[in-house]
């Protein structure tokens, strides 16, 4: 299971990288806007200098020519850039082109198994089903992950399932059990993965007992 951080906040990326468990970074236009990065290229260069792994950078064009032009420019920034493309018809056409040029893609905004199948057929490197946003509208986000993992297994597609829109550690654990390839999470959820109240209580007791012994 690869762990990616879902943020454009450089401090959070550094802190997660220092924990020694970060395999990549995903960004999207909303996350970049939230951090106020006006210079997208320089932001991506900084991220690539912090993390040696897949760094997803999203296009904002919605037509084939625009997506291809933008994606080729993004791919030139660093060898680890993965071009993030929306799961729309024009996007799938562009993914096919990128795949023939050896440019890695992350097909995003996936909400159904049929969309995921088309992304794999187009040659996507990663597909990003959004589990939290499905849960938000009373669909079972994790059921989608289970379906995609099964379908990709049935036909031996190499596209990696990147579970996105993760809101809590249970999404992560279920993704691991289902055999998804990657989970991308906000920094807060990465921190939650390491936390357990019994660890904190146990540690406090160990340290208290040690102090008593050495009084
Ligand atoms: O980066 C895509 C995805 O992870 C967004 O998550 O929380 O905005 O639904 P969220």
């Amino acid at each position: 299971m690869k762990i990616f951080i879902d943020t454009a906040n450089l401090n959070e990326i550094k802190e997660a990288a220092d924990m020694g468990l970060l395999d990549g970074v995903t960004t999207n236009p909303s996350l970049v806007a939230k951090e106020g990065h006006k210079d997208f290229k320089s932001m991506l260069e900084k991220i690539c200098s912090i993390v040696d792994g897949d760094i997803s950078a999203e296009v904002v064009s919605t037509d084939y020519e625009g997506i291809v032009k933008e994606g080729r420019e993004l791919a030139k920034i660093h060898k680890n850039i993965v071009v993030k493309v929306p799961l729309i018809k024009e996007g799938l056409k562009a993914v096919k082109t990128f795949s023939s040029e050896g440019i890695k893609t992350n097909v995003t905004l996936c909400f159904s198994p049929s969309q995921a199948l088309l992304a794999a057929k187009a040659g996507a490197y990663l597909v990003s089903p959004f589990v939290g946003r499905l849960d938000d509208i009373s669909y079972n986000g994790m059921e989608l992950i289970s379906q995609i993992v099964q379908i990709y297994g049935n036909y031996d597609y190499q596209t990696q399932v990147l579970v996105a829109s993760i809101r809590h550690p249970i999404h992560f654990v279920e993704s691991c059990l289902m055999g998804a390839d990657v989970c991308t999470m906000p920094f807060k959820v990465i921190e939650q993965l390491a936390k357990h109240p019994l660890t904190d209580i146990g540690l406090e007791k160990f340290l208290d007992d040690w102090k008593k012994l050495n009084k």
Side-chain angles (χ1 to χ4, degrees):
M1 169 57 74
K2 283 186 262 183
I3 294 181
F4 289 6
I5 189 167
D6 196 27
T7 185
N9 181 301
L10 298 176
N11 292 328
E12 288 181 350
I13 294 171
K14 276 192 203 115
E15 217 175 318
D18 286 347
M19 287 168 79
L21 48 74
L22 206 56
D23 300 301
V25 180
T26 49
T27 63
N28 64 38
S30 304
L31 293 171
V32 175
K34 186 179 160 204
E35 301 303 327
H37 294 294
K38 295 257 188 261
D39 186 344
F40 190 38
K41 183 170 181 254
S42 133
M43 179 207 84
L44 291 169
E45 284 166 344
K46 282 184 195 136
I47 295 177
C48 290
S49 73
I50 303 168
V51 180
D52 184 19
D54 292 331
I55 312 297
S56 289
E58 190 156 343
V59 298
V60 287
S61 299
T62 52
D63 62 301
Y64 170 78
E65 282 79 16
I67 295 172
V68 169
K69 188 166 176 277
E70 251 190 88
R72 284 179 182 147
E73 287 306 313
L74 289 171
K76 277 189 214 151
I77 295 173
H78 193 279
K79 66 175 174 46
N80 289 344
I81 294 288
V82 177
V83 178
K84 207 167 171 190
V85 180
L87 213 162
I88 53 176
K89 274 194 293 180
E90 297 289 292
L92 291 172
K93 268 161 60 181
V95 169
K96 188 96 190 157
T97 301
F98 289 137
S99 158
S100 71
E101 294 174 359
I103 294 175
K104 288 179 177 172
T105 51
N106 173 358
V107 181
T108 189
L109 291 166
C110 173
F111 292 97
S112 78
S114 58
Q115 286 183 311
L117 180 76
L118 297 189
K121 280 188 84 73
Y125 170 66
L126 297 163
V127 68
S128 289
F130 281 27
V131 294
R133 291 192 195 184
L134 278 172
D135 290 352
D136 289 345
I137 57 156
S138 298
Y139 279 80
N140 185 343
M142 290 316 298
E143 196 181 319
L144 173 62
I145 303 305
S146 157
Q147 290 172 327
I148 299 173
V149 168
Q150 187 182 337
I151 290 168
Y152 283 8
N154 286 349
Y155 299 102
D156 208 18
Y157 285 120
Q158 297 308 302
T159 303
Q160 296 174 57
V161 181
L162 186 163
V163 184
S165 186
I166 284 184
R167 302 276 163 78
H168 48 69
I170 294 170
H171 279 149
F172 172 74
V173 173
E174 289 186 349
S175 301
C176 297
L177 291 169
M178 287 173 184
D181 303 283
V182 191
C183 280
T184 191
M185 292 161 278
F187 184 60
K188 187 188 84 180
V189 179
I190 293 180
E191 285 186 310
Q192 285 173 335
L193 299 184
K195 286 289 274 181
H196 197 288
L198 291 180
T199 305
D200 296 340
I201 292 166
L203 180 61
E204 205 182 324
K205 172 131 181 54
F206 285 160
L207 297 180
D208 270 358
D209 290 344
W210 191 253
K211 259 191 219 150
K212 280 179 209 151
L213 172 73
N214 291 290
K215 252 188 189 165

